[in-house]
């Protein structure tokens, strides 16, 4: 519906502010809207169909009255061009205009913090956070380029979780780790990390550097079976090929067929 | 108390029930399901029905877990087990804020609470799901049920340390109970790992456990914290994700905001201060905290830390989730480097309670892993932090040189015997 602006208005806005935020639609959406016009129509319909046929859609979306409560509580709205209200509105009109979903899937949704403040305050009990999580799943499953871009810096953590069942581990605290802005204090701690870790007074944590806690090999094997059977490894392969292949290698090491 | 006409009936509604009441009316009119109180209660009924039909096993909060009853937002009474607990550790805590979990274990050992710290546990994987979309309902439910099955085998009741695991488990439990298709797909996967469906009757967050044992903690208080002002940040995934089932208490924050953590600070005698942005998230954002640091940091500092310090001058900011402690603590470094002045120490309620009970601030509470400055708070509590830090350094050095063995926190002896394995359960 946002695209149904009269050509005249669009031209005028372009003349006024050619490279600015005011043309074609809402602030922050110009890239997504431009990009959706070049999308494969078949893929576009497929993505929309999959979203609208998901068993959770009727639980997460009911009817949007455009009140904006969700956006008023949204942390991403404060510091990024993002609004959960826009997402719900686009889902509302997706059936007749499938490109609206692609506009959301392609980059826009990755701003969401998944805090679910939007769900808590929605008078219609929509769950924008839930819808966005579903959309992220779709973007990953179909290997959208924007998903690959968003997740590339996340690769290390993703691999760690999928192959150890734990996420942030002591060996991630190093001078080249992603947490450089944690300050000089962290750099100081890193110097004595091994000793400090050995002195943590819980047996399953002490000395463990490459995972959060001691995890049994059999536990990891079970996790890898779940990931394989539920299609998680395939989904990761389609968006981060290297990570998916490394998980596959680990899977083979653990004897998971 | 007001009287409201609802169809042909007239009902009385307490002021603090307005939000729920409005939702219920809207839900009834719109024929809504998921996320409403009615549907949540329906799900619990359905769970009992599935148990009666032999489709699932329900892990009940039996008397042997010495439960304490609390009120939830939905008005439903929830039984919180207090002993024989299966520690569902958090993937974000153990690696870089270990004091969170060590403090909790220390409190349990002090209170004589037996527990199981299992190596047969994975994280819920929901951090990954919310951050990257690289999972799906089938995988999330299977991971949930696998962990719950292990707890059931150990005959120890799951106590979930992470707010996100708690929220995710509430969500996937709802789906697993209400969707036959999902349940059957997951059952097939569980069969491949020799497990079956065991669903806990209650999902319990550790902050709820701290809440119900708070008076026992206060009895063992070693330091006077009456001069300490405490600001509390409630974690979104504990009370916004499936909000019906978190603990509320009439005499804590008038029963309209989550009770845990605030109740612990009050029981210890601290002064709890209020601030206008109490409802805001911490800025964690799952993927953002790792790869979009600027947005996470900006939100944490300018929407939480700065307003809290300016409005309340709090001595400490307490919270009850992995992500919140991480974000609120670590996000203070850069703004301070840029000349902003506001700063406040951040820790979990378990660390604060353990400190007040006299736990070692470094060897047990592991405060040196936190980057926000805790020195002033220690001084205010009457803790000689310089001496304690020296002690800790000496201890670490001795452990390193193998002059002494590390002193591990141990669970008091268990009374319950582990159950048989899953094969016997299914037969």
């Amino acid at each position: 519906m946002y695209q149904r602006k009269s050509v005249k208005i669009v031209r005028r806005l372009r003349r006024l502010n050619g490279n600015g935020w005011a043309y074609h639609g809402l602030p922050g959406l110009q890239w997504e809207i431009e990009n959706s016009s070049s999308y494969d129509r078949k893929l576009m319909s497929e993505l929309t169909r999959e979203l609208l046929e998901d068993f959770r859609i009727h639980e997460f979306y009911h009817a949007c009255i455009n009140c904006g409560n969700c956006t008023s509580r949204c942390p991403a709205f404060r510091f990024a061009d993002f609004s959960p209200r826009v997402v719900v509105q686009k889902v509302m009109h997706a059936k007749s205009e499938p490109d609206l979903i692609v506009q959301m899937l392609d980059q826009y949704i990755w701003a969401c913090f998944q805090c679910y403040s939007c769900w808590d305050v929605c008078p219609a009990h929509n769950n924008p956070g839930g819808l966005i999580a579903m959309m992220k799943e779709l973007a990953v499953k179909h290997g959208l380029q924007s998903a690959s871009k968003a997740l590339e810096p996340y690769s290390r953590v993703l691999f760690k979780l999928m192959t150890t069942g734990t996420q942030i581990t002591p060996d991630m605290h190093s001078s080249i780790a992603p947490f450089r802005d944690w300050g000089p204090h962290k750099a100081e701690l890193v110097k004595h990390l091994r000793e400090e870790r050995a002195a943590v007074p819980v047996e399953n944590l002490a000395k463990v550097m490459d995972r959060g806690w001691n995890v049994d090999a059999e536990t990891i094997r079970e996790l890898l079976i779940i990931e394989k059977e539920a299609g998680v490894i395939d989904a990761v392969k389609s968006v981060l090929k290297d990570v998916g292949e490394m998980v596959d290698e680990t899977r083979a090491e653990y004897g998971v067929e | 108390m007001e009287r409201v006409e609802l169809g042909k009936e007239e009902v009385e509604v307490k002021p603090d029930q307005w939000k729920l009441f409005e939702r219920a009316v809207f839900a009834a009119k719109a024929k809504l399901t998921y996320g409403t109180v009615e549907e949540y209660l329906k799900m619990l009924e359905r769970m009992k029905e599935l148990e009666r039909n032999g489709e699932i096993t329900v892990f009940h909060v039996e008397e042997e877990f010495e439960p304490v009853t609390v009120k939830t937002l939905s008005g439903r009474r929830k039984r919180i087990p207090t002993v024989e607990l299966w520690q569902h550790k958090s993937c974000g805590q153990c690696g870089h804020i270990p004091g969170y979990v060590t403090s909790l274990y220390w409190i349990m050992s002090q209170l004589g609470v037996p527990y199981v710290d299992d190596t047969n546990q994975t994280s819920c994987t929901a951090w990954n799901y919310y951050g990257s979309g690289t999972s799906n309902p089938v995988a999330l439910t299977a991971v949930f049920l696998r962990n719950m099955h292990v707890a059931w085998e150990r005959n120890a009741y799951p106590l979930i340390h992470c707010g996100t695991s708690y929220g995710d488990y509430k969500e996937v439990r709802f789906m697993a109970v209400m969707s036959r298709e999902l349940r059957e797909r997951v059952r097939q996967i569980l069969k491949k790992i020799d497990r079956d469906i065991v669903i806990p009757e209650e999902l319990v967050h550790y902050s709820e456990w701290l809440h119900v044992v708070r008076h026992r903690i206060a009895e063992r208080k070693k330091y006077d914290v009456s001069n300490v002002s405490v600001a509390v940040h409630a974690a979104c995934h504990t009370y916004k994700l499936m909000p019906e089932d978190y603990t509320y208490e009439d005499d804590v924050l008038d029963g309209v905001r989550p009770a845990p953590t605030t109740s612990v600070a009050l029981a210890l005698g601290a002064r709890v201060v209020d601030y206008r942005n109490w409802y805001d998230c911490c800025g964690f954002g799952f993927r953002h905290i790792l790869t979009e640091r600027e947005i996470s940091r900006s939100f944490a500092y300018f929407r939480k830390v700065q307003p809290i310090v300016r409005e309340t001058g709090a001595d400490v900011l307490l919270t009850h989730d992995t992500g919140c402690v991480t974000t609120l603590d670590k996000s203070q470094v850069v703004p301070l480097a840029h000349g902003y002045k506001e700063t406040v120490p951040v820790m979990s309620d378990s660390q604060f309670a353990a400190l007040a009970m006299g736990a070692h601030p470094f060897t047990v509470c592991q405060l040196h892993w936190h980057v926000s400055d805790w020195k002033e708070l220690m001084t205010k509590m009457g803790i000689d932090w310089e001496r304690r830090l020296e002690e800790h350094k000496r201890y670490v050095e001795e452990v390193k040189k193998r002059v002494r063995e590390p002193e591990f926190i141990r669970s008091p002896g268990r009374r319950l015997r582990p159950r048989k394995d899953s094969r016997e359960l299914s037969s």
Side-chain angles (χ1 to χ4, degrees):
Chain A
M1 68 165 186
Y2 295 110
Q3 286 199 321
R4 287 181 188 161
K5 281 196 164 127
S6 84
V7 177
K8 270 185 187 174
I9 292 175
V10 171
R11 277 187 193 149
R12 276 177 199 151
L13 286 169
R14 272 191 174 157
R15 228 168 65 206
L16 283 170
N17 189 6
N19 297 316
W21 56 268
Y23 68 96
H24 265 243
L26 291 174
L29 275 169
Q30 55 279 61
W31 188 87
E32 289 87 345
I33 291 170
E34 293 279 358
N35 214 31
S36 72
S37 59
S38 60
Y39 248 81
D40 172 12
R41 305 302 298 179
K42 203 176 152 197
L43 175 63
M44 209 182 272
S45 307
E46 175 65 17
L47 289 166
T48 307
R49 188 188 60 74
E50 272 189 51
L51 181 78
L52 298 179
E53 284 179 4
D54 191 295
F55 78 103
R56 294 165 289 177
I57 193 85
H58 299 296
E59 309 286 10
F60 292 175
Y61 167 71
H62 304 118
C64 178
I65 55 171
N66 233 335
C67 67
N69 267 2
C70 51
T71 302
S72 74
R73 287 295 191 194
C74 175
F77 171 72
R78 295 272 168 194
F79 291 93
D81 288 330
F82 175 81
S83 162
R85 183 185 62 80
V86 172
V87 177
V88 179
Q89 283 284 313
K90 298 238 174 191
V91 170
M92 190 157 95
H93 295 277
K95 210 168 183 180
S96 54
E97 296 174 62
D99 48 340
L100 296 180
I101 294 300
V102 169
Q103 287 166 20
M104 296 290 96
L105 287 178
D106 219 1
Q107 189 166 305
Y108 194 75
I109 49 168
W110 294 102
C112 174
F113 281 45
Q114 299 292 157
C115 67
Y116 292 89
S117 301
C118 47
W119 183 20
D120 195 39
V121 293
C122 178
H125 241 294
N126 295 315
N127 180 355
L131 288 171
I132 292 163
M134 283 164 61
M135 288 180 180
K136 284 181 180 173
E137 261 179 60
L138 262 185
V140 167
K141 190 177 154 196
H142 287 270
L144 299 192
Q145 203 190 0
S146 51
S148 300
K149 270 188 188 169
L151 298 185
E152 207 176 348
Y154 196 75
S155 304
R156 189 178 172 192
V157 175
L158 182 56
F159 177 71
K160 181 76 87 173
L161 181 87
M162 290 183 76
T163 54
T164 70
T166 66
Q167 194 127 333
I168 302 300
T169 57
D171 63 359
M172 286 182 173
H173 297 266
S174 75
S175 55
I176 54 159
F179 316 120
R180 269 181 258 186
D181 66 338
W182 288 6
H185 174 93
K186 193 209 79 177
E188 193 55 36
L189 184 69
V190 166
K191 288 182 194 165
H192 315 285
L193 195 62
R194 230 161 247 289
E195 299 96 280
E196 281 295 348
R197 189 69 182 173
V200 170
V202 169
E203 205 164 5
N204 284 334
L205 269 61
K207 292 185 186 169
V208 183
M209 297 296 287
D210 63 345
R211 49 196 72 181
W213 58 85
N214 263 325
V215 187
D216 297 340
E218 180 56 23
T219 309
I220 295 174
R221 202 183 74 84
E222 289 186 12
L223 178 67
L224 287 162
I225 291 173
I226 291 172
E227 285 165 354
K228 181 185 170 286
E229 295 295 325
V232 176
I233 299 176
D234 286 341
V236 171
K237 265 190 210 163
S238 67
V239 76
L240 294 169
K241 195 165 169 279
D242 290 348
V243 177
E245 284 175 358
M246 280 161 63
V247 175
D248 252 348
E249 283 168 25
T250 315
R251 183 171 65 83
E253 284 164 20
Y254 278 87
V256 178
E257 294 302 316
Chain B
M1 197 80 82
E2 294 195 29
R3 299 193 72 78
V4 181
E5 213 174 286
L6 186 66
K8 287 177 185 172
E9 287 177 46
E10 210 175 59
V11 291
E12 284 187 345
V13 184
K14 285 184 192 167
D16 61 354
Q17 290 175 337
W18 262 112
K19 187 178 170 191
L20 280 173
F21 178 75
E22 283 174 2
R23 280 185 168 188
V25 171
F26 191 93
K29 283 180 182 167
K31 295 192 173 62
L32 303 187
T33 55
Y34 184 81
T36 59
V37 172
E38 292 76 6
E39 194 63 10
Y40 200 79
L41 300 179
K42 222 184 275 176
M43 181 274 292
L44 294 173
E45 281 305 310
R46 177 86 182 121
M47 194 160 77
K48 286 179 196 162
E49 200 183 309
L50 292 174
E51 185 189 23
R52 277 198 301 274
N53 299 343
E55 282 195 50
I56 62 169
T57 300
V58 174
F59 195 166
H60 290 282
V61 188
E62 305 286 4
E63 287 308 314
E64 57 205 18
F65 296 112
E66 297 176 19
V68 173
T69 305
V70 294
K71 199 180 102 177
T72 62
L73 182 65
S74 64
R76 188 180 77 84
R77 301 277 161 181
K78 177 177 181 179
R79 280 151 64 89
I80 309 290
T82 59
V83 294
E84 303 284 349
L85 303 163
W86 191 76
Q87 307 284 5
H88 186 290
K89 298 176 287 297
S90 158
C91 64
Q93 269 170 33
C94 296
H96 78 99
I97 37 173
Y100 205 130
V101 61
T102 53
S103 299
L104 186 65
Y105 288 4
W106 185 84
I107 294 172
M108 287 189 181
S109 68
Q110 295 294 306
L111 299 184
V113 172
Y115 63 84
V116 176
D117 181 18
D118 212 327
T119 47
N120 189 3
Q121 184 224 320
T122 71
S123 91
C124 64
T125 70
W127 179 343
N128 227 28
Y129 174 66
Y130 294 128
S132 68
T134 51
S135 190
N136 55 52
V138 175
L140 290 170
T141 311
V143 168
F144 161 58
L145 293 174
R146 195 210 79 86
N147 281 331
M148 296 303 108
H149 189 263
V150 176
W152 187 88
E153 281 180 334
R154 301 283 191 269
N155 202 8
Y157 208 87
L159 185 76
I160 303 162
H161 294 185
C162 172
T164 290
S165 301
Y166 173 67
D168 165 62
Y169 283 176
K170 281 194 286 185
E171 200 169 26
V172 295
R173 179 177 71 163
F174 186 95
M175 289 190 221
V177 171
M178 299 305 264
S179 166
R180 176 180 291 275
E181 195 189 331
L182 176 68
R183 206 166 53 242
E184 292 314 317
R185 278 194 67 189
V186 173
R187 197 193 300 277
Q188 292 308 314
I189 295 176
L190 291 177
K191 265 187 190 163
K192 296 195 174 182
I193 55 173
D194 236 352
R195 299 190 181 277
D196 208 340
I197 298 180
V198 176
I199 301 181
E201 178 187 8
E202 300 290 4
L203 288 169
V204 184
H205 189 238
Y206 89 88
S207 64
E208 294 177 298
W209 178 84
L210 270 186
H211 168 77
V212 299
V213 300
R214 64 192 185 280
H215 297 302
R216 286 167 66 193
I217 289 173
E219 280 167 16
R220 288 164 175 78
K221 188 173 68 173
K222 294 268 167 59
Y223 293 102
D224 177 20
V225 290
S226 58
N227 61 338
V228 174
S229 54
V230 171
V232 173
H233 166 72
C236 295
H237 281 198
T238 56
Y239 79 106
K240 293 177 186 169
L241 192 52
M242 308 296 283
E244 297 81 5
D245 219 21
Y246 196 50
T247 299
Y248 286 67
E249 194 81 47
D250 286 339
D251 58 357
V252 179
L253 298 167
D254 297 330
V256 292
R257 292 197 213 166
T261 304
T262 299
S263 63
V264 174
L266 288 172
L268 288 167
R271 193 168 64 86
V272 175
V273 291
D274 201 4
Y275 58 102
R276 75 195 143 93
N277 285 358
W278 71 272
Y279 189 90
D280 265 334
C281 112
C282 64
F284 181 65
F286 300 90
R287 190 177 58 90
H288 300 67
I289 184 72
L290 295 164
T291 63
E292 309 265 0
R293 296 285 302 121
E294 178 50 39
I295 194 169
S296 210
R297 196 166 56 214
S298 301
F299 193 89
Y301 193 77
F302 295 114
R303 290 288 295 181
K304 296 298 288 196
V305 174
Q306 200 179 51
I308 287 170
V309 176
R310 281 185 182 172
E311 286 174 31
T312 69
D315 298 311
V316 63
L317 174 55
L318 298 187
T319 181
H320 50 231
D321 180 43
T322 312
C324 309
V325 172
T326 308
T327 314
L328 295 167
D329 181 43
K330 268 67 175 178
S331 298
Q332 296 184 39
V333 177
V334 170
L336 292 176
H338 279 270
Y340 290 93
K341 303 289 180 210
E342 295 83 2
T343 182
V344 63
V346 181
M347 63 184 73
S348 68
D349 46 4
S350 61
Q351 284 171 299
F352 185 69
L355 277 176
M357 285 170 75
H360 198 292
F362 307 105
T363 307
V364 173
C365 297
Q366 300 277 315
L367 278 181
H368 51 295
W369 292 73
H370 295 229
V371 301
S372 51
D373 197 352
W374 33 256
K375 295 184 187 95
E376 215 171 295
L377 172 72
M378 296 288 112
T379 308
K380 214 165 183 181
M381 287 175 78
I383 299 170
D384 183 354
W385 64 266
E386 282 168 303
R387 182 175 63 84
R388 303 294 258 171
L389 191 57
E390 280 310 311
E391 277 171 13
H392 175 70
K393 281 182 180 169
R394 215 166 32 243
Y395 168 72
V396 171
E397 198 56 30
E398 285 171 5
V399 171
K400 186 185 168 187
K401 290 179 179 162
R402 299 188 179 173
V403 176
R404 69 189 289 183
E405 287 296 310
E407 288 164 23
F408 293 126
I409 301 163
R410 306 272 181 204
S411 161
R414 289 200 65 198
R415 290 193 293 272
L416 299 185
R417 291 165 66 87
R419 286 190 176 88
K420 298 291 178 189
D421 67 16
S422 58
R423 275 157 291 209
E424 288 208 11
L425 168 70
S426 53
S427 67

